[in-house]
Amino acid sequence: MSDPQNAGDDAWLARAVELATANVASGGGPFGAVIVRGDELVSSGQNRVTRDIDPTAHAEVVAIRAACASIGDFSLAGCTLFTSCEPCPLCVSAALWARLDRVVFAADRDDAARGGFDDRAFYELFSTPRSEWAMTVTAHPLPDGFAPFQAWLSKDDRIRY
């Protein structure tokens, strides 16, 4: 007996893979994503890094931006992200910030590496001391550095996220 949940996952994942393959044919990267709420397609995205000259325009991020605009909320609680490939650290972070219920992917990080997209260094970076990072990241405290947070905390009508 087949699991109806997996049957739905198969269909949405197949759609993400189709978007990824079509994106390659039109000159983009091999990544596609869809966001679903229940059995309704909320949004889709394809990798637009080179087209938009935007290193953050990964398929998952494009789909998250479109879903938030469609729903009219920064929270995608109740939604699932289906993506053609295991999300990189940027995309996992975006999914966490968007509060998605689930992320389901077809190809994994090893498949991506075989396809020329090895994100292993990014996965491993956060367990490496900052002093060993290729990009320098340093704190430079200012006397008023906390002022934006103080303004935020003082704002009675702030929208928590």
Side-chain angles (χ1 to χ4, degrees):
M1 177 173 4
S2 70
D3 179 356
Q5 177 73 37
N6 288 340
D9 287 0
D10 287 352
W12 291 119
L13 278 172
R15 179 67 185 131
V17 170
E18 289 169 10
L19 286 168
T21 304
N23 201 45
V24 171
S26 65
F31 303 97
V34 296
I35 294 179
V36 176
R37 182 170 45 190
D39 60 359
E40 169 196 3
L41 175 65
V42 176
S43 70
S44 63
Q46 294 170 299
N47 182 281
R48 298 287 186 224
V49 170
T50 56
R51 187 198 77 177
D52 294 355
I53 311 171
D54 178 354
T56 68
H58 293 200
E60 298 90 340
V61 174
V62 171
I64 288 168
R65 290 173 180 161
C68 289
S70 174
I71 291 172
D73 197 341
F74 56 82
S75 173
L76 298 177
C79 296
T80 299
L81 169 64
F82 293 93
T83 182
S84 62
C85 188
E86 181 176 1
C88 72
L90 167 74
C91 296
V92 168
S93 296
L96 289 167
W97 277 110
R99 293 166 178 77
L100 286 154
D101 285 5
R102 291 191 315 143
V103 175
V104 182
F105 58 89
D108 67 16
R109 64 182 72 180
D110 296 321
D111 295 321
R114 277 196 347 257
F117 294 86
D118 192 350
D119 295 334
R120 198 164 327 275
F122 294 124
Y123 290 109
E124 296 169 355
L125 179 66
F126 297 110
S127 63
T128 305
R130 276 194 190 163
S131 61
E132 296 176 24
W133 291 14
M135 176 183 69
T136 303
V137 178
T138 58
H140 187 94
L142 294 175
D144 290 335
F146 190 74
F149 296 107
Q150 190 59 51
W152 172 256
L153 293 170
S154 300
K155 188 173 171 53
D156 291 332
D157 62 343
R158 68 184 177 267
I159 299 172
R160 294 180 187 269
Y161 62 97

